[in-house]
């Protein structure tokens, strides 16, 4: 059995080099995260991709042994039973019901509005000649889109930002545990009130569509609605913010790629897939629970263990991706797992891709002289937890 890694490993601000070195030693390693609980990391494509869709590796916290179960439950009260944390048959039913509201037609109809939001944000930045691309563009774009899609006021976005980062981040000390508890209550109160309003007077928005799906023969109960809406609010922006931020950083630090993309804008869809692979937002880990004793990559995994699949490491496996650390917007056969794989494959992928195409396309077209406004070495990554990989700020001038 390889040596157990400290929990800090999974929170490392720049994990790529460390993951590559570890992968050389073997594809699966024990790690102390959550602290004290039996847990493992999966780092390669051969084991990581199938693990995402392995029925022996479940998502429901019902598989977590006590005393850890109580902590998971308390941390995630508001998200309890959401589709991403469910297994079939619950997952199948929840995904089908939410998909009824979250239709491709509804997503595609957003294109002109996403373009208008991107243009407004750039209009506001242009006179200054400089910006923090994260705060001034990458954050407000997806949060405005998801607020309008759900039908919640965009003016509440400061609260959403705090709620979201708290719920995806780790609660490692008492203050963080307390804040997480408060956020669980605040999100519950917020959505409970809006659900009641929409039940009384439905509108043309996603919340109403989900409430109505409940009122059909197939039901979403109140907790399922709360958990589903919270998941969409978090997943709907926390990730896309960092696709835009991480992708722009990669592009601005690879001038020949930026030049190619400017000369050949038809490469934009392929560039977005490469941004997802190279430094995707869920670049750290997504986890599963072992429902039985099993073996993965030659390592014994006892029932009840947490299995973290490091999507960022899987997406840089040199066995599958040539020169994996290099950003190559022309990369062919880019079979990345940035949106997951199998039954939990990202429900929002079409929306995220649409937002990214509009965001990158508009930034490149309207800011022809955009460049980094600091030394690349001064860029800091978030230590935001086991899930999201993103920047603290992205200073640019144009
Ligand atoms: C699931 C990534 C944007 C909604 C997932 C998973 C990944 C992912 C990796 C699967 C996790 C697992 O299997 O454990 C991303 C990335 C995004 C993004 C990289 C942006 C670049 C969005 C957006 C939405 C969304 C915009 C909705 C508005 C969801 C939902 C699930 C999910 C509902 C759960 C699906 C299920 O359990 O069946 N996402 N996501 N995501 N994502 Fe996304």
């Amino acid at each position: 059995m390889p040596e157990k890694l400290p929990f800090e490993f999974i929170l490392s601000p720049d994990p790529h080099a460390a993951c590559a070195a570890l992968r050389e030693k073997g594809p699966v390693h024990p790690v102390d995260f959550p602290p004290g609980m039996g847990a493992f990391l999966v780092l390669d494509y051969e084991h990581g991709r199938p693990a995402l869709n392995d029925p022996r590796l479940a998502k429901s916290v019902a598989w977590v042994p006590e005393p850890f179960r109580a902590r998971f439950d308390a941390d995630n009260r508001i998200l309890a039973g959401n589709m991403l944390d469910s297994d079939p048959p619950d997952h199948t039913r929840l995904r089908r019901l939410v998909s009824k509201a979250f239709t491709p037609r509804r997503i595609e109809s957003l294109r002109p509005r996403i373009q208008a939001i991107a243009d407004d944000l750039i209009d506001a930045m242009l006179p200054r000649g400089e910006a923090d691309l994260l705060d001034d563009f990458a954050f407000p774009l997806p949060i405005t889109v998801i607020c309008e899609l759900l039908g919640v006021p965009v003016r509440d976005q400061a609260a959403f930002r705090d709620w979201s980062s708290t719920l995806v981040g780790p609660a490692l000390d008492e203050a963080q545990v307390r804040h997480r508890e408060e956020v669980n209550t605040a999100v519950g109160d917020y959505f409970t009130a809006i659900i009641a309003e929409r039940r009384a007077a439905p509108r043309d928005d996603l919340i109403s569509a989900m409430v109505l799906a409940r009122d059909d023969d197939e039901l979403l109960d109140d907790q399922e609605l709360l958990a589903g809406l919270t998941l969409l609010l978090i997943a709907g922006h926390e990730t896309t913010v960092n696709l835009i931020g991480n992708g722009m950083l990669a592009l601005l630090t690879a001038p020949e790629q930026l030049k190619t993309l400017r000369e050949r804008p038809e490469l934009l869809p392929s560039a977005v897939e490469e941004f997802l692979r190279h430094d995707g937002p869920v670049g750290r880990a997504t986890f599963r629970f072992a429902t039985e004793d099993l073996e993965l990559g030659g390592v014994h995994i006892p029932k009840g263990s947490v299995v973290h699949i490091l999507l960022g490491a899987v997406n840089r496996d040199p066995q599958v991706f040539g020169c994996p650390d290099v950003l190559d917007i022309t990369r062919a056969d880019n079979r990345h797992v940035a949106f997951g794989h199998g039954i939990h494959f990202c429900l929002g992928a079409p929306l995220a891709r649409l937002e990214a195409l509009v965001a990158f396309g508009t930034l490149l077209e309207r800011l022809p002289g955009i460049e980094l406004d600091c030394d690349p070495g001064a860029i800091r990554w978030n230590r935001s937890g086991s899930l999201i990989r993103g920047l603290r700020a992205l200073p640019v001038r144009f």
Side-chain angles (χ1 to χ4, degrees):
M1 168 78 90
E3 199 182 321
K4 195 175 207 175
L5 298 156
F7 82 85
E8 285 86 359
F9 182 89
I10 209 167
L11 301 177
S12 152
D14 191 6
H16 291 304
C19 285
L22 197 60
R23 202 195 302 100
E24 295 266 299
K25 295 186 196 159
V28 179
H29 295 263
V31 64
D32 192 26
F33 189 82
M37 196 172 170
F40 296 83
L41 301 178
V42 185
L43 297 149
D44 73 337
Y45 198 91
E46 182 188 341
H47 300 92
R49 187 170 187 271
L52 289 165
N53 203 28
D54 185 332
R56 298 170 303 169
L57 294 170
K59 286 294 297 180
S60 164
V61 288
W63 295 101
V64 178
E66 291 295 0
F68 300 101
R69 165 96 189 268
R71 174 68 184 278
F72 269 88
D73 283 344
D75 277 0
N76 293 310
R77 194 159 42 84
I78 191 64
L79 281 161
N82 77 80
M83 79 174 90
L84 184 53
D85 293 326
S86 306
D87 302 311
D90 294 340
H91 171 265
T92 320
R93 181 177 141 271
L94 290 170
R95 181 153 175 142
R96 196 178 57 236
L97 276 170
V98 176
S99 301
K100 275 188 183 174
F102 202 78
T103 57
R105 200 172 59 88
R106 191 183 284 274
I107 302 308
E108 189 48 41
S109 73
L110 294 171
R111 186 185 285 271
R113 182 64 194 132
I114 298 174
Q115 185 63 61
I117 298 167
D119 280 326
D120 285 352
L121 291 168
I122 290 185
D123 287 345
M125 277 158 49
L126 261 178
R128 299 205 309 268
E130 60 176 29
D132 171 2
L133 208 62
L134 226 56
D135 263 355
D136 294 327
F137 188 82
F139 181 75
L141 176 68
I143 192 75
T144 307
V145 172
I146 195 68
C147 286
E148 292 187 3
L149 179 66
L150 286 170
V152 295
V154 178
R155 65 171 179 274
D156 295 341
Q157 60 172 277
F160 299 150
R161 191 173 190 173
D162 172 44
W163 294 349
S164 201
S165 59
T166 303
L167 291 174
V168 297
L172 295 173
D173 59 36
E174 247 179 59
Q176 286 178 339
V177 170
R178 209 173 322 112
H179 185 56
R180 200 169 169 131
E181 187 50 40
E182 288 160 8
V183 165
N184 269 287
T185 303
V187 178
D189 292 349
Y190 184 85
F191 278 127
T192 302
I194 293 186
I195 290 167
E197 276 173 34
R198 294 302 189 281
R199 224 172 242 148
R203 298 186 197 165
D204 181 20
D205 60 29
L206 192 63
I207 297 187
S208 304
M210 285 171 65
V211 167
L212 291 174
R214 176 194 194 275
D215 291 338
D216 280 349
D217 289 353
E218 305 180 78
L219 304 175
L220 279 177
D221 66 28
D222 281 353
Q223 176 53 37
E224 288 169 345
L225 272 173
L226 282 177
L229 291 171
T230 310
L231 175 66
L232 287 178
L233 183 69
I234 297 174
H237 81 278
E238 191 75 27
T239 48
T240 313
V241 172
N242 295 310
L243 172 55
I244 299 171
N246 301 0
M248 275 311 283
L249 175 65
L251 208 49
L252 295 176
T253 48
E256 77 297 345
Q257 296 288 307
L258 180 58
K259 184 164 171 283
T260 307
L261 191 52
R262 284 198 190 287
E263 288 166 1
R264 298 175 57 197
E266 72 279 8
L267 284 174
L268 198 52
S270 148
V272 168
E273 297 310 309
E274 178 65 348
F275 299 145
L276 283 158
R277 182 203 69 81
H278 180 260
D279 234 331
V282 190
R284 297 168 191 265
T286 182
F287 59 85
R288 303 285 188 271
F289 305 112
T291 62
E292 57 184 76
D293 284 7
L294 56 107
E295 202 205 280
L296 216 53
V299 174
H300 176 73
I301 304 208
K303 179 177 175 178
S305 305
V306 181
V307 176
H308 299 279
I309 301 143
L310 266 60
L311 301 184
V314 171
N315 282 335
R316 288 197 185 201
D317 184 341
Q319 298 291 331
V320 178
F321 304 101
C323 300
D325 296 330
V326 173
L327 181 82
D328 175 4
I329 59 166
T330 65
R331 192 177 287 276
D333 197 20
N334 189 347
R335 290 170 287 146
H336 67 75
V337 290
F339 286 123
H341 166 66
I343 61 167
H344 291 286
F345 182 84
C346 178
L347 186 70
L351 175 58
R353 285 182 164 126
L354 177 59
E355 288 180 294
L357 287 174
V358 172
F360 287 104
T362 311
L363 283 170
L364 295 186
E365 193 190 313
R366 297 209 44 206
L367 303 178
I370 189 168
E371 58 186 359
L372 211 53
D373 197 14
C374 69
D375 187 283
I379 294 285
R380 293 282 165 267
W381 293 91
N382 257 339
R383 190 177 176 276
S384 76
S386 61
L387 192 66
I388 299 292
R389 172 164 164 82
L391 299 168
R392 293 191 195 171
L394 184 55
V396 292
R397 55 175 177 258
F398 33 82

